[in-house]
Amino acid sequence: MHSNDSSSNDAVAHVWLVNTHLDHAAADIRQRQVQAICAWMEPLKGSCAGIVVTGDLNAPPDEALHASLAAAGFMSAHKAAHGAEPSFTWPSGIQAPLMDEGEPHCADYVYAWQAPDYQLLVAAAQLCGDKPSQDDATLYPSDHIGIKVKLRVVTSSSSSSSGGSAAGEALA
């Protein structure tokens, strides 16, 4: 991400974007997968402003993997913006052969971690892909509803007017 601050046009804030699709059947497998992602990203924390993890975690908000992400310093962007996760992100309403069936639930998330010298501020978080095609009410972009997040990356010293900032968006 490049800085939008005219006083520091050469500043670059590197943010890792990780997209994943966790196991759909077993909470213990999902927990191990999240632990593996956190371990994989740990060595990179010293060389970036932040890490954004997005995707289909296949886990309701009360599942243990969310506590593991929080313990690793990650925050849910939707929860930060709205105080709660979406009521559901699956199913979208798509009708297709061989489609999965089940109770609607929140399965998709955008999590952000910020380095000590930076802040990843959630400027916006909203659902996307939640409307069918204008030509076919059974056709959606996916069987999941996405989450569109706009993050603002600022240096911790940016509370004064001289700090740099950058903005970017992440989708799950």
Side-chain angles (χ1 to χ4, degrees), residues 81-163:
H82 300 285
E85 301 299 352
S87 58
F88 73 95
T89 60
W90 180 88
S92 64
I94 195 170
Q95 300 296 310
L98 304 176
M99 62 184 242
D100 292 331
E101 294 182 7
E103 290 297 316
H105 64 277
C106 184
D108 303 272
Y109 302 87
V110 177
Y111 274 94
W113 171 87
Q114 60 193 18
D117 293 339
Y118 293 89
Q119 292 180 306
L120 269 63
L121 306 174
V122 180
Q126 65 189 49
L127 298 179
C128 62
D130 57 341
K131 305 284 187 269
S133 166
Q134 292 180 2
D135 301 326
D136 182 349
T138 68
L139 182 60
Y140 285 73
S142 171
D143 62 332
H144 289 254
I145 295 170
I147 302 174
K148 179 181 177 183
V149 172
K150 184 173 187 177
L151 296 172
R152 184 176 181 99
V153 180
V154 297
T155 58
S156 292
S157 62
S158 291
S159 54
S160 69
S161 60
S162 62

